Amino acid sequence: MHQIGGHKLLNFASHIDDNTIEQAKETAAMPFVHPHVALMPDAHSGKGSAVGTVIPTIDAVIPAAVGVDIGCGMIAARTVYTESDLAGRNLADLREEIERAIPLSPGNYNANIDRFEFTRDRLADLEASARAENIDLSHSPKWREQLGSLGGGNHFIELCLDEQQRVWMFLHSGSRGVGNKIAQKHIKIAQRLCKSWWIELPNPDLAYLPQSTPEFSCYIRELHWAQRFALQNRAEMMDRFRTVFAAWMGVDANGAADIEVDRVNCHHNYTQKEQHGGRDVWLTRKGAVDAHEGVRAIIPGSMGTRSYIVRGKGNAAGLCSAPHGAGRRFSRTEARRRFTADDLAARMQGIEYRHGAEWVDEIPDAYKDIDQVMADAADLVEVEHQLRQVLNVKGT
């Protein structure tokens, strides 16, 4: 960890590019940042603020820093099984069952919302919360059909083994289209307001909403609802995953819940009220997890590399945060230019996955070395479990 001279900026990444540093400097220069911005070990350049940036702000929030996938994060569940229980079973069949239970890729939603009994209670919870908080969802008439869908990009579902060869279910997703619509709406409002107030910004994606305005209050209400949706979305998909995995293992639906013994569900794109530097702040973790002392979180690698279940150390300099993954080395365009489907197949040797050129931009070589990221994060978290995947399902 070192301070970037002359800026309220601490950097925990040993490998970081100049553009990411410049983006972080712009963010750290905003007048309401306190006590400093922290760059996580996986930090890389993003839209507006760098991904892997932790931003504490007093009486203001930057909607574009939270990003368009509000509440994006990870969920992991340990099962009663070990590697030996998988012997002789066809992982391709399980992958196909997962793909039938969980809609994949952007724009793909559930054809109906009553296939699984547990979906009903989650929708009722979200509907009641939306009514109570007066959340405007008119922009997303199909938000109910989005619950339990994966999305695209680097969103994924995996079956993993830990250091004791115990079987884990693992997935990455967020608030889907409804969260995107909420984010886009408030980013535009913040930009319009800052322009009307003649506020000069380093870039338009640092437009902010002051806490004293009704627009801020509306954003926080809708943001918290989207974060709730994201948590429920991951839980919904995990319950579906568990259902089909149990059936694949020969357990009927009534016994599916009994195969799970541990679960962690955490955001890595979100804002919440916390205390840092002796002040109440809105802490935005854009590509970072909560690492307060004892808090459990998930740090995934890329497809074909290790992932980690961790516990926070409560590092004040790191704003009680930790990295959210490996972090990209190459853009998607550059990865497609450099690598082929054959390169991906070689890197995924021994792992069941959907073959094809459309996943080349997710090849492990397009990401930072997860071992280096975790070494850089040694002061932020301690490792509880180390996972390696045996099956991977990607959104496109």
Side-chain angles (χ1 to χ4, degrees):
M1 180 269 291
H2 65 275
Q3 184 157 13
I4 307 295
H7 297 270
K8 292 193 292 185
L9 178 60
L10 294 181
N11 173 37
F12 287 80
S14 58
H15 296 290
I16 194 164
D17 63 88
D18 292 341
N19 190 46
T20 303
I21 294 290
E22 289 308 310
Q23 281 192 309
K25 286 179 180 178
E26 287 184 348
T27 304
M30 298 302 284
F32 42 75
V33 166
H34 171 83
H36 58 263
V37 164
L39 274 174
M40 294 292 100
D42 58 334
H44 59 95
S45 58
K47 185 170 170 57
S49 301
V51 178
T53 309
V54 185
I55 310 163
T57 53
I58 295 174
D59 296 337
V61 170
I62 305 168
V66 181
V68 295
D69 196 356
I70 296 169
C72 187
M74 297 292 308
I75 186 169
R78 182 164 66 85
T79 75
V80 298
Y81 299 114
T82 63
E83 183 180 25
S84 61
D85 295 311
L86 306 181
R89 297 180 180 272
N90 189 335
L91 285 168
D93 289 344
L94 175 60
R95 177 177 59 76
E96 290 168 5
E97 287 300 319
I98 293 168
E99 291 167 9
R100 278 190 279 272
I102 299 172
L104 309 177
S105 308
N108 285 353
Y109 307 148
N110 297 283
N112 58 66
I113 56 177
D114 54 8
R115 176 177 172 185
F116 299 96
E117 281 190 24
F118 45 73
T119 310
R120 187 184 309 113
D121 288 342
R122 290 201 173 93
L123 288 173
D125 171 76
L126 289 164
E127 286 168 345
S129 174
R131 281 194 304 272
E133 297 297 326
N134 195 27
I135 307 299
D136 175 17
L137 296 172
S138 61
H139 47 64
S140 300
K142 285 191 163 291
W143 70 264
R144 293 170 187 82
E145 286 82 358
Q146 293 171 19
L147 186 75
S149 64
L150 184 69
N154 61 353
H155 292 172
F156 63 83
I157 304 165
E158 290 182 337
L159 193 72
C160 300
L161 303 174
D162 69 10
E163 69 287 344
Q164 297 178 51
Q165 310 310 314
R166 296 176 301 190
V167 177
W168 289 70
M169 300 174 291
F170 201 67
L171 66 86
H172 172 211
S173 192
S175 56
R176 303 295 287 110
V178 64
N180 186 298
K181 293 279 190 180
I182 287 170
Q184 296 284 7
K185 178 175 80 172
H186 291 288
I187 289 168
K188 287 172 184 170
I189 289 170
Q191 291 173 341
R192 187 176 71 244
L193 287 176
C194 284
K195 189 174 182 181
S196 72
W197 295 328
W198 300 96
I199 293 172
E200 289 192 24
L201 298 166
N203 73 69
D205 285 316
L206 289 176
Y208 58 90
L209 296 170
Q211 189 163 324
S212 58
T213 63
E215 289 85 358
F216 175 94
S217 298
C218 182
Y219 174 59
I220 293 299
R221 283 199 322 274
E222 298 198 351
L223 171 84
H224 285 168
W225 186 89
Q227 289 173 186
R228 187 183 193 124
F229 181 96
L231 275 173
Q232 293 279 32
N233 188 43
R234 287 192 293 276
E236 172 74 17
M237 284 187 283
M238 183 56 75
D239 285 354
R240 295 184 186 193
F241 188 178
R242 185 180 66 194
T243 299
V244 299
F245 179 55
W248 185 74
M249 293 297 295
V251 176
D252 66 24
N254 293 328
D258 297 332
I259 74 166
E260 181 182 333
V261 294
D262 190 16
R263 182 179 287 204
V264 185
N265 190 353
C266 66
H267 294 320
H268 55 225
N269 278 4
Y270 70 113
T271 288
Q272 67 182 17
K273 253 302 182 51
E274 295 187 11
Q275 267 211 340
H276 293 279
R279 297 287 301 272
D280 287 333
V281 300
W282 289 99
L283 194 76
T284 296
R285 293 184 172 97
K286 180 176 182 175
V289 296
D290 185 349
H292 279 84
E293 186 172 2
V295 171
R296 299 176 84 200
I298 303 166
I299 303 176
S302 54
M303 63 191 294
T305 63
R306 283 184 292 278
S307 297
Y308 297 86
I309 310 295
V310 299
R311 282 191 187 271
K313 292 185 173 181
N315 186 305
L319 303 172
C320 297
S321 302
H324 81 310
R328 293 196 75 90
R329 288 176 62 220
F330 302 123
S331 69
R332 295 187 182 282
T333 301
E334 180 63 15
R336 284 190 290 269
R337 190 186 71 79
R338 286 173 176 256
F339 305 110
T340 67
D342 288 341
D343 294 327
L344 178 60
R347 295 292 266 115
M348 295 293 285
Q349 200 76 32
I351 300 169
E352 172 61 35
Y353 79 107
R354 293 198 292 168
H355 289 251
E358 56 264 59
W359 293 282
V360 165
D361 56 9
E362 284 294 303
I363 192 170
D365 309 74
Y367 285 83
K368 292 185 180 185
D369 180 355
I370 189 64
D371 293 331
Q372 184 60 57
V373 168
M374 294 307 295
D376 290 349
D379 291 337
L380 306 175
V381 291
E382 61 180 344
V383 174
E384 193 175 82
H385 298 294
Q386 188 177 128
L387 310 182
R388 60 181 177 88
Q389 64 275 89
V390 295
L391 177 152
N392 171 280
V393 179
K394 276 281 193 192
T396 52

